[in-house]
């Protein structure tokens, strides 16, 4: 009899909390700027969750059997929160980088809550997994489609910079992606003796892919967790494989030595600088799946054999 009464009391308490949580979410102004809305919503939601946990523990501290009810309730509230963000398109396949920023706010707040109160990371990750897998694949396909188009239009000529200011602007774009741009591009930077113009011995499609690949990798790094680890590795490897496939096709279309040398410069940059950067970035996070990254380096030998 006592057990049923305690169960009823805890259910009543949690039902009251549901109403309070609804009111908490209503306090946020959905018309606010995106980041402001997300920050306010996360602060209010997790503050309410902390208060609820504290009250529950205090009231039912001697009734450990009721704690399962609390964890089930909390899981449902987290699911409602994620559904709200998804339905309001704060997490969407249509704008990947925008969604990543919003997910970072959610994951950071859940990490703080996990460190200070009770670990909810697995619950958050489990609910985000089904949303993130199609998002990652959709963004990968978007980059692939863009890459295909750029390679169809590629003339395989160096990228020219009309002024030193334009080169610095170019470097700044890669600096924002945390890429060691000076050491990475320096071996390919040349000056035309006739025009005195700077150029990089890399095709425009290579540089465009580099920027897209670095941004994609940076976004994935920000929201990485174990349940989506395989899908992150899969996406990054599929992209670099497609990029290299277009170099292989180009090499097979001509026997002209200068053309082949130029293509090989693009191959070396892509593997020894771009891909090596992303591999080093993810190595501490991806565990045994690093072996799939390392296999890609073997492709350089295959390219070197193609130009003999």
């Amino acid at each position: 009899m006592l057990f049923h009464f305690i169960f009823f009391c805890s259910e009543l308490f949690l039902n009251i909390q549901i109403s309070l949580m609804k009111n908490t979410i209503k306090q946020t102004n959905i018309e606010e700027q995106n980041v402001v809305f997300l920050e306010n919503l996360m602060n209010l939601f997790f503050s309410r969750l902390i208060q609820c946990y504290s009250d529950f523990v205090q009231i039912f501290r001697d009734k450990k059997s009721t704690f399962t009810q609390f964890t089930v309730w909390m899981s449902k509230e987290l699911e409602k929160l994620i559904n709200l963000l998804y339905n309001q398109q704060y997490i969407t396949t249509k704008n990947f980088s925008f969604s990543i920023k919003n997910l970072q706010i959610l994951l950071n707040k859940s990490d703080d809550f996990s460190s200070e109160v009770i670990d909810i990371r697995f619950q958050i990750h489990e609910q985000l997994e089904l949303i993130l897998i199609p998002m990652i694949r959709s963004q990968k396909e978007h980059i692939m489609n863009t890459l295909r188009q750029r390679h169809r239009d590629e003339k395989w000529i160096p990228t020219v910079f009309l002024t030193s200011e334009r080169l610095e602007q170019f470097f700044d774009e890669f600096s924002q992606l945390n890429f060691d741009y000076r050491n990475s591009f320096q071996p390919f930077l040349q000056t035309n003796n006739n025009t005195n113009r700077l150029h990089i011995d890399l095709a425009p499609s290579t540089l465009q892919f580099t920027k897209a690949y670095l941004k994609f990798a940076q976004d994935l790094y920000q929201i990485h967790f174990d349940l989506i680890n395989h899908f992150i590795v899969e996406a990054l490897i599929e992209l670099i494989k497609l990029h290299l496939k277009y170099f292989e096709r180009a090499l097979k279309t001509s026997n002209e030595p200068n053309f082949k040398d130029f293509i090989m410069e693009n191959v070396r940059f892509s593997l020894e600088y771009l891909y090596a950067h992303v591999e080093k970035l993810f190595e501490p996070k991806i565990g045994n799946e690093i072996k799939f990254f390392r296999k890609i380096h073997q492709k350089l030998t295959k390219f070197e054999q193609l130009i003999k």
Side-chain angles (χ1 to χ4, degrees), residues 11-12 48 82 91 95-96 123 125-126 133-134 146 164 197 203 223 229 243 248 286 294 299 303 307:
E11 280 289 296
L12 179 61
R48 166 52 55 192
I82 291 169
I91 303 173
N95 191 332
F96 189 74
Q123 291 164 295
H125 295 170
E126 194 173 39
I133 291 171
T146 304
S164 58
R197 287 179 177 172
I223 51 97
N229 183 58
H243 182 55
E248 186 177 348
I286 63 176
R294 288 173 179 158
K299 291 186 176 290
F303 278 100
I307 64 170

Side-chain angles (χ1 to χ4, degrees), residues 158-161 188-192 197-202:
T159 301
V160 178
F161 298 94
F188 307 93
L189 195 61
Q190 307 289 338
T191 302
N192 188 307
R197 287 179 177 172
L198 293 165
H199 69 265
I200 286 182
D201 277 341
L202 298 171

Side-chain angles (χ1 to χ4, degrees), residues 105-127:
I105 296 171
L106 171 61
L107 291 169
N108 288 341
K109 293 294 181 183
S110 66
D111 283 346
D112 291 343
F113 183 87
S114 296
S115 299
E116 297 169 9
V117 185
I118 181 175
D119 199 335
I120 60 168
R121 279 171 286 213
F122 181 76
Q123 291 164 295
I124 289 280
H125 295 170
E126 194 173 39
Q127 291 176 25

Side-chain angles (χ1 to χ4, degrees), residues 11-22:
E11 280 289 296
L12 179 61
F13 174 87
L14 294 173
N15 284 332
I16 292 170
Q17 296 305 314
I18 289 172
S19 298
L20 291 172
M21 191 63 83
K22 284 180 180 178

Side-chain angles (χ1 to χ4, degrees), residues 33 86 112 123 129 167 173 184 199 211 236 260 282 287 296:
Q33 290 185 354
Y86 185 77
D112 291 343
Q123 291 164 295
E129 179 186 9
L167 179 64
E173 291 170 1
S184 299
H199 69 265
K211 194 181 296 184
L236 291 171
K260 287 193 169 187
F282 277 91
I296 297 295

